[in-house]
């Protein structure tokens, strides 16, 4: 159902998100598909236990057979029987830069996906719809990487120390100043790994006696950080501000569960763009709620920094708000900047506190210098500091590509989730059999896609996820769209009941006939 | 999702071959390696016996796994055996539950916080006697101990298949970023789907994977650097003995030593300030040193404040002697 504008005054442009439900027969067939898979799974297990079928999976050592088994049989049931059938669609190794096109290593299996063998050949120029390369900075152009090579020769590859001991280089200081300037905040701190940024800093910011309100579909790193902190966690429905408001009111009225004392801190964890849904957080409503109930806001912009907003500064700019409204701005450099690592930005007191108390600053190595240089050059390009307008062009190209891609997919009749402006496009497949078929046939057409199923998504909603990039040209997108069209008809994937008219050319044809 | 590049596969193969195990898996961050490996195997209700002096990454991994944690005194095998016996009597009361609770021992090869080695042969005996699995964390000992740098298993001459999982980070000896786990395919393959730091995170930049491969090449081509390193460690260990006011903590062949105060001033803050003055004196005279940093409120067993002395194989003997004499001077002037 489309979500139109409800608080007309808060949103400066229309906020349109789609989460269409598929017809009922699709859900039924999906369950049937899983049921058949499960029955065959039990049959296979039975045959394996009785020796009628070979055991292909690795086994425990002879000397350790009487130890407590390491894996329970049931935990692995799904892996053994359902995942193993379509395993060839994941972990495909590539042998070039993950740009808009890449080269895949050809991989065949002789025994139905239990083991793989590389033939030694590569499949060249596969269109890449799976890598997080939103602004196209994953490139090997020698000119662009000149400064990175210089830094590599000056500093070497590793740092071999933590931030607090010997690991703070002048490159880190330069990078942090640049990040703070880019986002428009007072100060920033960078870390070596995006996942670790969340899981090591949330415990430093909140502890026992605090309340964490986290979105249903938050990323594992946020969930892990929240659990490690020891605070109480309550979950609100995805992007649903009424559910969040109810939780906030309950928290303030009832306080901590047994002692009824007020919570020490209430912090709301949300993401800018959710990577499995493609939805954008409702920031204006969230900020007004936060101000009303005096809670703190932690915004994880892993996918949205660089990808949305008029100049690529993330959801804060997309909604036209000021970065001071968000207490903790967190993001990663993996997606839009073609590097690795994460950052946390905000007021100076916050960042100074993190410099002394973050687990990562004390125990984990700092970011390596060539990677820091890559981020610096990408950010300078985005801000226009290198003298060209290339950065702005990339952001605009990404916006154009996103809107074109989504519009065409809607017209064709696929069910797409998410906001019209998000470069993450999940296309719903639903049935388990189609997951494997879709990915394999797309590869035959030289297009690499990412498919996701249970347990990363709910069991009935398996999907294929496309990541549009600024480096994709119109021709590449058209190739992909035509392939999707064909495949959609072949596999009956066009479930949408709201498709717009997709053949305006028909009208031209009839007009020509009439003129005749 | 298309993030495995051929360089990663090559690095995994090379590491598995170097360590003589079946398989290896690469993580993009050293801290995340052990902190994701432990929760992949040990869940709520399982029992983990861990040394008191385990590093912070291990502690976080244990916290994330929600298992029952039993600490035993540092390097004290008698204490560990006592805990194992207690567990055995518990098991006899409830054999059905005992059949499904997994047990692990987590130790480090060369401890970061104290600089000594764990007594691996005794641990192997305990393993088979009480049926517990061993996870070995070799961040400091990989590339340092053993004739060819394969770590503590080579140092003690133990069959590597006896250890269930070896985890190490590439940030110390290999001077790259990231970490790896190696062991039998039966164990390592599980992490590809259930290791949180592997599935939900971006992979290592190819630049760093290539740097690690190059470092492995150097290690394989010059096996005598390990001898040289050990000789230098012994030299500095001897040279630092007898400094007034500071005692050396750590094995003689450990490249990372701690210098702790012989007598504490009373409070931890004062100790830290005093050590800082020693470090500043050395910095001003041309030796870069650092204090070992800990998060005081978060550590389970906080080690006493110390200066960490780390050496590398490229430092010449004159430089090492000069460093030792400067340290003596610094300690003299500040502590007397």
């Amino acid at each position: 159902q489309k979500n139109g504008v409800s608080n007309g005054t808060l949103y400066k442009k229309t906020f349109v998100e789609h989460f269409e439900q598929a017809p009922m027969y699709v859900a039924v067939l999906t369950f049937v598909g899983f049921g058949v898979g499960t029955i065959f799974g039990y049959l296979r297990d039975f045959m394996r236990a009785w020796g009628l079928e070979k055991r292909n999976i690795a086994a425990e050592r002879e000397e350790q057979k009487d130890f407590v088994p390491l894996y329970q049989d049931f935990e692995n049931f799904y892996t053994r029987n359902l995942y193993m059938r379509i395993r060839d669609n994941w972990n495909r190794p590539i042998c070039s830069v993950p740009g808009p096109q890449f080269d895949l290593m050809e991989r065949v299996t002789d025994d139905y996906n239990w083991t793989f063998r590389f033939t030694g050949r590569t499949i060249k120029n596969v269109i890449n719809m799976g890598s997080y390369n939103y602004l196209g900075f994953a490139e090997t152009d020698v000119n662009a990487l000149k400064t990175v090579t210089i830094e590599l020769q000056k500093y070497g590859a590793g740092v071999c120390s933590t931030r607090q001991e010997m690991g703070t280089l002048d490159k880190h200081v330069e990078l942090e100043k640049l990040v703070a300037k880019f986002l428009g905040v007072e100060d920033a701190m960078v870390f070596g790994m995006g996942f670790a940024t969340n899981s090591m800093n949330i415990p430093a910011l909140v502890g026992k006696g605090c309340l964490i309100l986290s979105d249903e579909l938050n990323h594992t790193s946020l969930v892990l950080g929240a659990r490690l902190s020891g605070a109480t966690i309550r979950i609100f429905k995805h992007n649903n501000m009424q559910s969040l408001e109810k939780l906030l009111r309950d928290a303030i009225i009832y306080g901590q569960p047994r002692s009824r004392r007020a919570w020490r801190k209430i912090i709301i964890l949300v993401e800018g763009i959710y990577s499995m849904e493609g939805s954008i957080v409702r920031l204006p409503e969230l900020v007004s709620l936060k101000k009303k109930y005096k809670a703190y806001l932690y915004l994880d912009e892993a996918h949205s920094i660089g990808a949305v907003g008029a100049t690529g500064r993330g959801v804060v700019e997309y909604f036209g708000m000021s970065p001071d409204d968000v207490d903790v701005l967190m993001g990663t450099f993996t997606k839009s900047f073609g590097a690795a690592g994460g950052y946390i930005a905000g007021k100076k007191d916050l960042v100074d506190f993190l410099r002394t108390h973050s687990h990562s600053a004390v125990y984990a190595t700092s970011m390596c210098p060539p990677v820091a240089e890559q981020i610096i050059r990408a950010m300078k390009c985005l801000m226009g500091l290198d003298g060209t307008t290339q950065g702005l062009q990339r952001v605009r190209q990404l916006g154009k590509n996103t809107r074109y891609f989504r519009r065409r997919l809607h017209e064709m009749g696929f069910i797409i989730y998410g906001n019209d402006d998000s470069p993450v496009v999940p296309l719903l497949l639903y049935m388990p059999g189609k997951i494997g078929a879709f990915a394999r046939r797309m590869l035959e057409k030289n297009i690499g896609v990412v498919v996701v199923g249970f347990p990363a998504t709910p069991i009935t909603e398996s999907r294929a996820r496309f990541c549009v990039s600024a480096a994709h040209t119109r021709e590449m997108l058209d190739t992909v769209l035509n392939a999707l069209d064909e495949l959609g008809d072949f596999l009956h994937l066009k479930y949408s009941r709201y498709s717009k008219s997709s053949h305006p050319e028909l009208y031209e044809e009839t007009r020509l006939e009439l003129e005749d | 999702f298309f993030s495995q590049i051929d360089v990663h596969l090559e690095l995994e193969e090379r590491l598995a071959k170097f360590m003589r195990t079946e398989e290896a898996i690469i993580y993009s961050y050293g801290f995340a390696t052990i902190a994701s490996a432990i929760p992949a195997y040990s869940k709520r209700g399982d029992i983990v016996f861990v040394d008191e002096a385990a590093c912070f990454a291990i502690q976080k991994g244990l916290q994330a796994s929600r298992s029952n944690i039993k600490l035993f005194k540092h390097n004290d095998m008698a204490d560990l055996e006592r805990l194992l016996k207690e567990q055995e009597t518990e098991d006899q009361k409830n054999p059905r539950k005992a059949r499904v609770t997994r047990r692990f021992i987590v130790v480090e090869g060369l401890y970061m916080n104290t600089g000594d080695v764990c007594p691996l042969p005794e641990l192997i005996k305990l393993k088979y006697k009480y049926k517990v699995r061993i996870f070995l964390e070799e961040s400091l000992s990989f590339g340092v101990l053993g004739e060819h740098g394969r770590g503590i298993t080579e140092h003690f001459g133990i069959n590597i298949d006896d250890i269930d999982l070896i985890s190490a980070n590439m940030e110390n000896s290999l001077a790259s970023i990231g970490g790896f786990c190696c062991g039998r395919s039966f164990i390592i393959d599980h992490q590809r789907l259930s290791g949180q730091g592997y599935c939900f995170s971006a992979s290592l930049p190819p630049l760093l994977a290539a740097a690690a491969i190059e470092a492995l090449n150097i290690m394989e081509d010059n096996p005598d650097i390990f001898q040289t390193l050990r000789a230098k460690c012994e030299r500095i260990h001897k040279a630092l003995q007898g400094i007034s006011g500071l005692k050396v903590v750590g094995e003689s062949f450990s490249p990372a030593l701690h210098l702790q105060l012989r007598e504490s001033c009373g409070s931890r803050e004062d100790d830290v300030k005093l050590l800082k003055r020693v470090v500043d004196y050395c910095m001003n005279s041309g030796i870069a040193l650092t204090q070992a940093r800990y998060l005081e409120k978060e550590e389970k067993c906080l080690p006493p404040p110390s200066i960490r002395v780390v050496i590398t194989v490229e430092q010449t003997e004159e430089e090492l002697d000069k460093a030792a004499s400067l340290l003596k001077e610094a300690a003299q002037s500040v502590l007397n």
Side-chain angles (χ1 to χ4, degrees):
Chain A
Q1 314 328 7
K2 286 200 193 149
N3 291 329
V5 177
S6 49
N7 293 348
T9 46
L10 277 181
Y11 288 83
K12 299 199 174 77
K13 48 173 134 167
T14 51
F15 187 86
V16 183
E17 287 200 339
H18 309 264
F19 290 104
E20 195 179 326
Q21 293 268 37
M24 180 59 98
Y25 75 88
V26 174
V28 171
L29 284 177
T30 312
F31 278 117
V32 168
F34 273 108
V36 170
T38 318
I39 295 179
F40 269 96
Y42 278 123
L43 181 66
R44 277 269 167 71
D45 273 349
F46 178 74
M47 297 211 302
R48 270 192 278 261
W50 284 87
L52 293 169
E53 197 174 306
K54 255 188 317 156
R55 274 170 199 264
N56 279 334
I57 206 166
E60 178 71 273
R61 275 176 86 201
E62 275 308 323
E63 298 94 329
Q64 292 182 212
K65 277 266 186 314
D66 52 347
F67 280 41
V68 177
L70 194 53
Y71 314 119
Q72 287 180 333
D73 272 341
F74 184 67
E75 274 169 17
N76 278 22
F77 182 82
Y78 179 78
T79 319
R80 266 200 314 269
N81 298 310
L82 295 167
Y83 176 71
M84 206 48 94
R85 289 170 186 271
I86 42 178
R87 193 164 84 120
D88 58 321
N89 296 316
W90 286 284
N91 292 339
R92 290 200 190 121
I94 65 179
C95 41
S96 71
V97 68
Q101 286 181 327
F102 57 6
D103 302 330
L104 275 180
M105 287 173 77
E106 197 178 350
R107 195 168 67 150
V108 293
T109 171
D110 300 318
D111 49 0
Y112 297 107
N113 289 349
W114 287 98
T115 55
F116 292 108
R117 185 171 52 93
F118 292 109
T119 61
R121 284 192 295 264
T122 52
I123 311 176
K124 292 225 177 270
N125 286 338
V126 180
I127 299 184
N128 181 1
M129 297 303 287
S131 298
Y132 305 129
N133 183 18
Y134 298 133
L135 292 176
F137 279 116
E139 56 196 359
T140 45
D141 182 22
V142 177
N143 276 337
L145 294 180
K146 214 170 22 177
T147 44
V148 181
T149 350
I150 298 176
E151 296 301 323
L152 177 61
Q153 292 187 330
K154 186 168 151 199
Y155 287 102
V159 183
C160 305
S161 186
T162 67
R163 281 302 290 269
Q164 280 202 0
E165 292 181 9
M166 284 275 191
T168 304
L169 306 171
D170 50 354
K171 268 271 158 279
H172 294 134
V173 178
E174 192 188 329
L175 177 59
E176 288 173 359
K177 284 209 187 67
L178 195 62
V179 171
K181 195 162 138 198
F182 179 69
L183 294 169
V185 289
E186 287 175 24
D187 204 357
M189 182 172 179
V190 298
F191 304 96
M193 182 188 185
F195 185 97
T197 311
N198 275 331
S199 60
M200 295 206 257
N201 289 308
I202 298 182
L205 292 172
V206 289
K208 277 200 159 50
C210 304
L211 177 66
I212 295 185
L213 296 171
S214 122
D215 189 295
E216 220 179 359
L217 298 175
N218 266 340
H219 191 251
T220 317
S221 56
L222 287 167
V223 173
L224 184 62
R227 267 183 36 208
L228 284 177
S229 69
T232 319
I233 308 177
R234 300 213 176 126
I235 303 196
F236 62 92
K237 291 203 182 52
H238 176 60
N239 237 358
N240 188 330
M241 294 298 120
Q242 285 83 16
S243 163
L244 176 60
E245 179 155 18
K246 181 169 186 314
L247 281 180
L248 276 168
R249 291 172 86 94
D250 284 342
I252 296 194
I253 295 173
Y254 295 114
Q256 297 190 27
R258 261 165 287 191
S259 61
R260 297 285 195 224
R261 258 185 288 177
W263 294 102
R264 281 190 13 223
K265 265 187 271 221
I266 301 183
I267 193 165
I268 307 175
L269 295 181
V270 282
E271 290 188 37
I273 293 187
Y274 290 90
S275 58
M276 281 298 152
E277 305 284 314
S279 50
I280 299 188
V281 68
R282 293 171 180 280
L283 200 56
E285 286 168 307
L286 200 52
V287 170
S288 67
L289 268 181
K290 152 189 120 78
K291 286 190 178 138
K292 182 172 168 192
Y293 293 100
K294 303 222 178 11
Y296 294 107
L297 184 59
Y298 183 105
L299 181 65
D300 177 347
E301 291 210 81
H303 286 266
S304 52
I305 189 78
V308 288
T311 55
R313 280 168 168 75
V315 279
V316 171
E317 191 187 25
Y318 178 73
F319 288 111
M321 310 187 65
S322 128
D324 295 329
D325 289 331
V326 182
D327 300 292
V328 188
L329 282 160
M330 179 261 168
T332 63
F333 299 117
T334 329
K335 278 88 183 186
S336 308
F337 296 96
Y343 67 86
I344 290 202
K347 298 236 166 8
K348 194 158 187 328
D349 322 338
L350 169 76
V351 179
D352 283 340
F353 177 81
L354 280 180
R355 281 191 215 280
T356 41
H357 289 85
S358 157
H359 301 183
S360 164
V362 186
Y363 293 107
T365 27
S366 34
M367 189 186 272
C368 76
V371 172
E373 178 55 36
Q374 156 74 359
I375 304 171
I376 291 179
R377 95 154 169 103
M379 226 173 233
K380 281 196 178 143
C381 179
L382 255 189
M383 302 206 303
L385 288 177
D386 59 345
T388 66
T389 52
Q390 211 192 57
L392 214 50
Q393 276 172 2
R394 284 177 195 246
V395 178
R396 296 229 173 95
Q397 182 68 30
L398 176 65
K400 265 198 290 204
N401 283 355
T402 311
R403 280 188 289 274
Y404 175 67
F405 197 69
R406 278 180 171 266
R407 180 172 58 86
R408 285 288 302 273
L409 283 176
H410 271 302
E411 283 171 10
M412 285 188 211
F414 291 103
I415 296 191
I416 313 280
Y417 272 8
N419 194 305
D420 275 342
D421 285 317
S422 106
V424 178
V425 186
L427 190 152
L428 272 288
L429 295 172
Y430 296 105
M431 295 179 208
K434 295 195 186 179
I435 305 177
F438 186 80
R440 286 179 197 140
R441 278 171 202 273
M442 286 299 265
L443 189 59
E444 278 169 28
K445 294 188 203 279
N446 248 16
I447 300 174
V449 297
V450 164
V451 285
V452 233
F454 184 78
T457 61
I459 198 158
T460 45
E461 292 180 9
S462 347
R463 58 198 73 177
R465 187 181 69 178
F466 298 100
C467 293
V468 183
S469 155
H472 283 135
T473 59
R474 194 47 92 90
E475 291 81 40
M476 287 186 216
L477 288 180
D478 281 334
T479 325
V480 177
L481 286 163
N482 290 338
L484 279 175
D485 206 3
E486 270 180 58
L487 211 53
D489 288 326
F490 180 71
L491 287 176
H492 297 291
L493 287 172
K494 299 188 178 177
Y495 299 118
S496 175
R497 288 169 282 191
Y498 301 110
S499 56
K500 305 195 191 99
S501 159
S502 51
H503 295 285
E505 315 91 70
L506 265 179
Y507 298 112
E508 321 286 327
E509 245 182 58
T510 48
R511 239 189 297 144
L512 277 172
E513 281 184 7
L514 282 175
E515 276 175 34
D516 225 357
Chain B
F1 304 151
F2 298 134
S3 67
Q4 260 203 330
I5 308 193
D6 48 357
V7 200
H8 294 141
L9 291 175
E10 199 189 322
L11 180 57
E12 283 182 6
E13 264 180 57
R14 290 291 300 277
L15 280 168
K17 210 158 53 155
F18 180 73
M19 294 294 282
R20 291 188 287 208
T21 59
E22 272 179 23
E23 206 175 318
I25 182 175
I26 307 245
Y27 282 86
S28 58
Y29 206 45
F31 191 96
T33 313
I34 190 71
S36 308
I38 296 182
Y41 301 103
S42 178
K43 316 267 185 213
R44 207 193 278 264
D46 294 334
I47 305 176
V48 184
F49 300 95
V50 68
D51 193 299
E52 266 181 357
C55 69
F56 194 70
I58 297 182
Q59 291 174 24
K60 283 294 145 186
L62 291 171
Q63 202 184 350
S65 72
R66 296 200 257 215
S67 320
N68 295 337
I69 303 175
K70 302 207 158 73
L71 294 164
F72 62 91
K73 293 203 191 46
H74 178 56
N75 269 353
D76 190 346
M77 291 296 109
D79 201 28
L80 176 58
E81 184 140 19
R82 176 183 64 87
L83 283 173
L84 285 167
K85 278 209 175 72
E86 278 175 19
Q87 184 58 39
E88 217 181 2
T89 46
E90 283 280 330
D91 288 344
Q92 277 156 2
K93 288 187 207 148
N94 196 343
R96 201 134 51 107
K97 183 167 158 215
R99 243 178 300 155
V100 286
T101 19
R102 297 174 274 242
R103 283 148 247 246
F104 303 97
I105 298 181
V106 179
V107 279
E108 289 186 47
L110 201 54
Y111 285 93
M112 187 109 187
N113 292 345
T114 59
D116 23 333
V117 288
C118 75
L120 205 52
E122 280 106 58
L123 274 171
I124 303 280
K125 285 203 206 95
L126 285 175
K127 166 185 169 158
Y128 285 112
K129 188 166 164 201
Y130 292 97
K131 309 214 187 320
V132 261
R133 296 177 196 263
I134 299 194
F135 283 177
L136 190 58
E137 219 271 322
E138 290 223 68
S139 293
L140 225 41
S141 50
F142 178 75
V144 168
L145 292 181
E147 217 185 289
H148 297 277
R150 293 198 176 94
I152 195 171
T153 45
E154 202 181 23
H155 180 79
F156 282 117
I158 293 178
N159 178 9
I160 201 149
D161 279 341
D162 276 336
I163 311 283
D164 293 276
L165 179 80
I166 297 188
S167 138
N169 69 18
M170 307 197 276
E171 293 160 6
N172 299 334
S173 301
L174 291 179
S176 173
I177 304 260
F180 68 92
C181 286
C182 60
R184 297 186 64 241
S185 297
F186 175 67
I187 302 197
I188 298 294
D189 219 25
H190 181 69
Q191 280 181 46
R192 289 195 198 273
L193 271 185
S194 60
Q196 287 193 334
Y198 185 77
C199 302
F200 292 107
S201 166
S203 56
L204 194 57
L207 153 74
L208 296 165
I213 294 181
E214 201 44 50
L216 264 180
N217 285 346
I218 296 180
M219 273 167 71
E220 285 179 357
D221 291 336
N222 319 2
D224 34 334
I225 55 174
F226 304 112
Q227 278 287 59
T228 334
L229 180 65
R230 240 188 308 261
K232 294 200 172 150
C233 293
E234 309 247 355
R235 196 190 175 95
I236 194 117
H237 189 89
K238 211 159 53 163
L240 287 177
Q241 299 285 1
I243 300 188
S244 60
L246 292 174
K247 63 176 189 247
V248 180
V249 172
E251 296 272 344
S252 60
F253 47 76
S254 154
L257 305 164
H258 288 263
L259 285 172
Q260 291 174 4
L261 290 170
R262 271 189 217 273
E263 318 169 346
S264 153
C265 294
S267 77
R268 196 189 167 89
E269 271 182 38
D270 292 333
D271 287 347
V272 168
K273 283 203 186 95
L274 204 56
L275 286 172
K276 184 170 182 334
R277 282 169 52 199
V278 177
V279 169
D280 287 339
Y281 187 103
C282 292
M283 287 277 232
N284 291 337
S285 328
I287 310 274
L289 281 176
T290 172
Q291 283 196 54
R293 297 270 181 200
Y294 306 103
L295 271 179
E296 282 149 27
K297 299 199 192 76
E298 309 272 337
E299 285 262 4
K300 281 219 169 79
C301 303
L302 191 56
S306 59
I307 300 180
R308 187 181 289 136
V309 177
V310 188
I311 61 168
T312 127
V313 81
E314 299 203 350
Q315 284 161 344
T316 64
E317 316 216 319
E318 295 82 45
E319 288 175 346
L320 290 177
D321 290 334
K322 177 170 161 223
S325 59
L326 250 168
L327 259 171
K328 281 203 175 86
E329 226 182 276
Q332 281 285 60
S333 73
V334 170
L335 296 170
N336 289 355

